[in-house]
């Protein structure tokens, strides 16, 4: 099946360059972590994998570029899922190599890996959303509200990546094996699902975007990110004395919990007021029709068929 020509070629080129550039840097990490004959085998393996990925990306990215100026986000979700699925597999092997080689404490390389993920993943999400190309959203207020919601998605992505980065950055005391595996795959699932939920909310709204009805992602992020990641950081700090826990992101989670709770309360009160306001409006509209119609003017027709009586006068 031949894909249609993209309506936004710079969008396709930018997303393709970002995806393949981040993949190439991940491949460089994997190759450098192996020595001797194994290094050549790993190089051949990642090259073949990148060629296959590029073939699939050629079709998917063009389809995304064809729908970027519409309310559809189906291929954008497919591209996001494909990218994160492959990227996190490479991150897992890099993390396992760092874990096996505890003598190598190359802090700069590990920090660079964290920086690479914290830039490429949120930027790709912003490109896929294409918020600046939403011509079907005419109201400036609605567009700004959507931008604010997407900002929270980007912050949540950085929050998830910070949890993952604690696994490969230098640490004085390692976490238990089951804790590390649970943390990695929990973040992996969140990176796969939550951005797709946000993209699907925009897609389902279509041209009649009503931002206050896009409540699925805020509810999921409140539970899975703001509450659970706060518990993860608190548990690592209390039980495992992990000093790499970010106090700033813990504060962000607390603020987000308060703000989103207030938003939910306001939304609930808004939905309760809508039926009453609608009933009052209907009552106003039906009141003039319920009044009795004035009686039509009656026309009295005088009976002129009978002649008046004539009095006869006697003439003398």
């Amino acid at each position: 099946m031949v894909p249609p020509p993209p309506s936004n070629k710079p969008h396709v080129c930018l997303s393709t360059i970002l995806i393949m550039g981040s993949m190439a840097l991940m491949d460089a990490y994997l190759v450098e972590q192996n020595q001797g004959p194994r290094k050549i085998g790993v190089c051949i393996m990642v090259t073949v994998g990148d060629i296959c990925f590029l073939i699939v990306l050629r079709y998917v990215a063009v389809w995304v570029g064809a729908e970027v100026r519409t309310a559809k986000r189906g291929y954008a979700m497919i591209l996001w899922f494909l990218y994160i699925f492959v990227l996190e597999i490479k991150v897992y092997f890099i993390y396992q190599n760092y874990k096996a080689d505890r003598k190598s404490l190359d802090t700069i390389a590990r920090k660079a890996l964290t920086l690479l993920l914290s830039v490429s993943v949120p930027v790709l999400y912003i490109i896929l959303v294409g918020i600046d190309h939403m011509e079907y959203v005419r109201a400036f207020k609605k567009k700004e509200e959507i931008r604010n919601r997407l900002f929270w998605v980007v912050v949540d992505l950085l929050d998830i990546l910070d949890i993952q980065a604690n696994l490969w950055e230098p640490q004085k005391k390692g976490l238990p094996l089951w804790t590390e595996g649970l943390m990695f795959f929990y973040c992996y699932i969140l990176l796969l699902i939550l951005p797709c939920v946000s993209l699907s909310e925009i897609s389902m709204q279509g041209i009649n975007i009503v931002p206050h009805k896009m409540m699925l992602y805020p509810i999921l992020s409140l539970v899975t990110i703001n509450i659970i990641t706060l518990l993860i950081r608190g548990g690592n700090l209390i039980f495992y004395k992990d000093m790499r826990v970010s106090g700033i992101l813990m504060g962000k989670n607390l603020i987000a919990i308060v703000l989103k709770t207030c938003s939910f309360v306001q939304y609930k009160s808004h939905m309760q007021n809508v039926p009453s306001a609608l009933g009052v409006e209907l009552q106003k509209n039906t009141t003039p029709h319920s009044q009795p119609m004035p009686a039509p003017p009656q026309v009295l027709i005088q009976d002129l068929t009978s002649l008046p009586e004539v009095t006869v006068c006697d003439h003398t």
Side-chain angles (χ1 to χ4, degrees):
M1 185 175 181
V2 179
S7 61
N8 193 342
K9 292 182 179 179
H11 175 276
V12 177
C13 295
L14 185 60
S15 60
T16 304
I17 291 172
L18 178 64
I19 291 173
M20 296 310 299
S22 60
M23 290 294 179
L25 292 174
M26 290 296 167
D27 294 340
Y29 271 95
L30 289 172
V31 172
E32 289 297 326
Q33 286 180 338
N34 296 275
Q35 302 296 330
R38 187 178 179 182
K39 187 174 185 178
I40 300 175
V42 172
C43 184
I44 295 174
M45 186 182 301
V46 296
T47 302
V48 173
D50 287 342
I51 292 174
C52 297
F53 183 79
L54 185 60
I55 294 174
V56 177
L57 183 64
R58 183 256 177 183
Y59 292 95
V60 179
V62 172
W63 278 102
V64 174
E67 69 179 8
V68 70
R69 292 183 180 273
T70 65
K72 299 177 181 178
R73 291 292 182 273
Y75 288 100
M77 288 185 281
I78 294 174
L79 180 58
W80 175 267
F81 192 91
L82 180 65
Y83 172 71
I84 295 298
F85 180 78
V86 177
L87 181 72
E88 286 293 310
I89 291 177
K90 295 185 178 182
V91 172
Y92 179 77
F93 283 106
I94 294 172
Y95 149 64
Q96 289 296 329
N97 290 333
Y98 275 134
K99 182 180 177 182
D101 189 9
R102 294 187 179 273
K103 296 180 180 180
S104 175
L105 295 177
D106 192 356
T107 307
I108 297 178
R110 300 190 184 199
K111 291 288 185 181
L113 176 61
T114 304
L115 179 61
L116 172 63
L117 292 174
S118 62
V119 172
S120 60
V121 173
V123 169
L124 179 63
Y125 174 78
I126 294 173
I127 293 174
L128 292 179
V129 172
I131 187 66
D132 292 331
H133 300 286
M134 287 184 179
E135 283 85 0
Y136 53 87
V137 183
R138 299 299 180 182
F140 178 78
K141 183 178 180 181
K142 288 184 178 181
K143 187 176 289 188
E144 285 299 314
E145 188 168 351
I146 293 176
R147 284 196 179 101
N148 293 333
R149 288 176 176 269
L150 297 180
F151 171 76
W152 279 105
V153 177
V154 171
V155 174
D156 290 339
L157 290 175
L158 295 175
D159 197 349
I160 299 171
L161 292 173
D162 179 75
I163 292 288
Q164 265 194 345
N166 288 338
L167 298 176
W168 59 74
E169 290 188 356
Q171 48 186 311
K172 295 181 180 180
K173 182 180 179 181
L175 300 176
L177 182 61
W178 68 271
T179 304
E180 292 184 354
L182 186 62
M183 286 173 57
F184 182 87
F185 287 104
Y186 179 74
C187 296
Y188 189 7
I189 293 172
L190 291 184
L191 289 174
L192 281 175
I193 296 177
L194 287 184
C196 292
V197 171
S198 177
L199 291 171
S200 65
E201 280 188 337
I202 300 175
S203 178
M204 287 187 297
Q205 294 295 317
I207 59 175
N208 299 319
I209 288 183
V210 183
H212 69 271
K213 291 185 178 180
M214 301 165 62
M215 300 300 294
L216 179 60
Y217 178 84
I219 293 174
L220 291 178
S221 65
L222 175 64
V223 177
T224 59
I225 296 179
N226 298 313
I227 295 178
I228 295 183
T229 58
L230 184 64
L231 297 177
I232 291 175
R233 289 190 174 95
N236 291 342
L237 183 62
I238 295 173
F239 297 107
Y240 301 112
K241 308 298 181 181
D242 190 358
M243 302 308 297
R244 300 162 300 154
V245 172
S246 175
I248 295 177
L249 289 177
M250 292 182 70
K252 168 259 175 186
N253 289 332
L254 291 174
I255 295 174
I257 291 173
V258 174
L259 292 178
K260 290 182 180 181
T261 303
C262 295
S263 299
F264 294 151
V265 173
Q266 184 179 5
Y267 174 74
K268 186 176 180 181
S269 61
H270 172 75
M271 295 304 295
Q272 290 177 351
N273 293 332
V274 167
S276 60
L278 183 60
V280 172
E281 186 68 22
L282 292 175
Q283 185 178 2
K284 289 182 180 179
N285 295 332
T286 56
T287 299
H289 302 287
S290 62
Q291 293 179 353
M293 296 296 291
Q298 297 180 356
V299 180
L300 299 178
I301 301 177
Q302 186 178 2
D303 188 8
L304 299 178
T305 55
S306 60
L307 296 176
E309 295 182 357
V310 179
T311 57
V312 181
C313 298
D314 296 336
H315 298 283
T316 53

